């Protein structure tokens, strides 16, 4: 008499494709960025001794404001879209083997410009982007100290919201041979490559600003060009990137760099290839890049 057990056969390794459709309310994302901005301001306006400043492994600062803004954003985004993963500067990084398969994901910098926060100059932002594969499709950037919120959705334009209402924004048109172009650059990173870039233009007006505000200045037409020939990470730029694109500008790669900002390629040769910055790379470090407003008469090769 047998045991009644049949022989176990090898189970095939099946994979099942599942597609989900869901709506992401843009107003809820805007409200999330603004709530994080209010949380930051509450700490910003308190005694500096309560900021709980720490240094991360890369020697960048981390404050209580970074942590509390991150908590506000992550909780809200989980409520808005529990099925969409979140990548934040202040969360443990998801391995690339996992995130490269993400169809959509949130890319967040809860406090972009922590060094500016510590200087108390007001030049910091809250960045939230919804990514589709390697491209931002929704971006919200709140500027707490200015009472401004910038946002964009792919194909729907770029917008600025204040207490007085909302208006569409457009990048300024310019030609590379124009005199007096306004060029903005980092308040904390000004290297020889950036100086070389600026020298290509005749009598430029140079402005140093912190955080993602520089991309927003180009998107809003307050600056024509922003060269970033120094380190940034994907969460620093994604939200403002789509705002620039929807305002009529471009964010173009200008060559790889190492994590100390040293060029690994000739930035001039790479810039003229006209390749937009892409995201969800194995290394979250951005390449060098240049942000242009509306270019009259052609590409970066014209320069």
């Amino acid at each position: 008499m047998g045991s009644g057990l049949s022989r176990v056969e090898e189970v095939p390794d099946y994979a099942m494709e599942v597609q989900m459709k869901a709506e992401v309310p843009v107003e809820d994302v805007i409200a999330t960025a603004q709530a994080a901005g209010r949380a930051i301001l509450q700490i910003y306006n308190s005694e500096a001794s309560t900021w709980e400043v720490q240094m991360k492994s890369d020697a960048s600062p981390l404050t209580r404001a970074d942590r509390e803004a991150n908590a506000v954003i992550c909780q809200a985004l989980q409520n808005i879209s529990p099925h969409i993963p979140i990548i934040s500067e202040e969360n443990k990084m998801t391995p690339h083997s996992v995130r490269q398969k993400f169809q959509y994901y949130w890319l967040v910098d809860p406090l972009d410009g922590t060094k500016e926060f510590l200087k108390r100059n007001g030049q910091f932002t809250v960045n939230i982007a919804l990514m589709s594969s390697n491209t931002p499709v929704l971006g919200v950037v709140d500027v707490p100290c200015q009472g401004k919120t910038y946002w964009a959705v792919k194909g729907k334009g770029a917008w600025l919201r204040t207490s007085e209402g909302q208006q569409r924004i457009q990048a300024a048109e310019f030609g590379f041979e124009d005199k007096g172009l306004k060029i903005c650059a980092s308040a904390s990173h000004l290297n020889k490559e950036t100086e070389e870039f600026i020298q290509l233009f005749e009598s430029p007006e140079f402005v140093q600003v912190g955080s993602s505000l520089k991309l927003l200045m180009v998107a809003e037409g307050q600056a024509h060009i922003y060269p970033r020939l120094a380190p940034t990470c994907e969460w620093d730029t994604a939200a403002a990137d789509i705002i620039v694109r929807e305002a009529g500008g471009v964010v173009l790669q200008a060559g790889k760099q190492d994590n100390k900002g040293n060029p690994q390629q000739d930035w001039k040769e790479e810039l003229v290839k006209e390749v937009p910055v892409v995201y969800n790379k194995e290394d979250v470090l951005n390449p060098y890049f240049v942000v242009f407003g509306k270019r009259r008469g052609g590409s970066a090769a014209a320069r």
Side-chain angles (χ1 to χ4, degrees), residues 7-140:
R7 181 169 62 86
V8 177
E9 297 183 0
E10 184 178 348
V11 178
D13 184 16
Y14 289 125
M16 186 172 185
E17 182 178 344
V18 177
Q19 294 185 345
M20 294 184 294
K21 184 176 181 180
E23 292 184 351
V24 174
V26 176
E27 286 296 329
D28 289 358
V29 184
I30 293 171
T32 297
Q34 292 173 335
R38 290 192 295 272
I40 291 170
L41 277 184
Q42 202 164 23
I43 297 168
Y44 183 71
N45 293 326
S46 67
E47 290 293 329
S49 59
T50 68
W51 289 359
E52 300 175 12
V53 182
Q54 303 173 2
M55 299 304 292
K56 296 191 284 190
S57 59
D58 63 357
S60 62
L62 175 71
T63 70
R64 182 162 63 95
D66 295 85
R67 293 191 294 272
E68 292 196 8
N70 190 57
V72 168
I73 293 168
C74 290
Q75 183 59 63
L77 294 183
Q78 287 171 358
N79 292 338
I80 293 168
S81 56
H83 56 293
I84 299 179
I86 301 169
I87 295 175
S88 169
E89 179 180 12
E90 308 309 338
N91 292 350
K92 183 178 178 180
M93 176 54 67
T94 304
H96 187 248
S97 59
V98 176
R99 56 187 170 85
Q100 68 179 342
K101 300 174 184 177
F102 291 165
Q103 182 179 6
Y104 289 95
Y105 65 96
W106 296 104
L107 187 54
V108 174
D109 190 343
L111 201 172
D112 180 32
T114 303
K115 290 180 181 178
E116 314 311 322
F117 176 97
L118 293 173
K119 294 175 186 176
R120 252 185 174 142
N121 64 16
Q123 296 176 9
F124 53 85
T125 61
V126 176
N127 303 340
I128 302 176
L130 178 63
M131 312 297 294
S132 175
S133 184
N134 63 4
T135 305
V137 293
L138 182 159
V140 179

Side-chain angles (χ1 to χ4, degrees), residues 280-294:
N280 205 10
K281 308 180 304 298
E282 184 171 4
D283 184 352
V284 296
L285 183 71
N286 282 325
Y288 282 177
F289 63 85
V290 178
V291 183
F292 293 114
K294 292 182 179 179

Side-chain angles (χ1 to χ4, degrees), residues 183 192-202 204 303:
I183 301 176
K192 69 179 184 65
E193 288 82 11
T194 305
E195 291 174 345
E196 287 175 0
F197 181 91
I198 294 168
Q199 290 170 6
L200 295 172
F201 300 89
E202 186 173 353
R303 183 67 268 169

